Amino acid sequence: MRLSRHCTRAACSRPAVATLTYVYADSTAVLGPLATQSEPHSYDLCEEHAHRLTAPRGWEVVRLATEFVPAPPSADDIEALADAVREASRARPGPSVPATRPGSVPPAPVTHRLPEPELGRRGHLRVLPGEAD
């Protein structure tokens, strides 16, 4: 199953559409289409970060592509999604059990009855005798 790759810039979760590689010997940053495999010394970028890329002073940026589009879903992606849906539909939820911490005792169920309300009293209200009584 091929996992979708995301932009490597901090706090960016958009899908990657380009790969950035540095050639240190030539002081060159090479930006091209998304590589087929993720490499340890390359960086995947989303469309926004690929277009905004700048290089350090004295470096050259080589752009192998000017338009970056997300890769369409492959057959592997579709099969993986179908397998995940099948697996989720087979799973049956188990009985619900209250969570417990190690060494703790779960609380006992409440089984006592509330006392009967007093005559002439309802909740927090009370019946007061009137002037006629």
Side-chain angles (χ1 to χ4, degrees):
M1 176 177 103
R2 186 182 68 142
L3 299 174
S4 66
R5 290 161 38 195
H6 297 282
C7 185
T8 55
R9 294 289 302 258
C12 182
S13 61
R14 290 186 289 266
V17 296
T19 298
L20 171 66
T21 308
Y22 292 106
V23 181
Y24 293 98
D26 297 333
S27 299
T28 305
V30 180
L31 184 66
L34 187 62
T36 54
Q37 292 185 356
S38 180
E39 297 292 329
H41 299 290
S42 63
Y43 303 91
D44 294 336
L45 299 175
C46 66
E47 186 175 9
E48 179 183 345
H49 287 121
H51 285 295
R52 290 183 13 200
L53 175 73
T54 59
R57 183 173 291 152
W59 281 59
E60 182 182 355
V61 177
V62 175
R63 294 180 187 270
L64 300 177
T66 56
E67 293 298 318
F68 301 102
V69 293
S74 70
D76 291 341
D77 294 335
I78 295 170
E79 287 179 30
L81 180 60
D83 290 342
V85 169
R86 275 190 221 105
E87 185 66 29
S89 67
R90 277 189 228 129
R92 298 285 178 229
S96 64
V97 179
T100 58
R101 292 185 177 158
S104 70
V105 178
V110 178
T111 58
H112 67 278
R113 293 184 56 114
L114 296 174
E116 293 295 325
E118 295 176 26
L119 236 146
R121 187 176 176 127
R122 194 173 246 179
H124 66 283
L125 301 175
R126 214 172 359 170
V127 177
L128 299 174
E131 292 179 20
D133 292 330

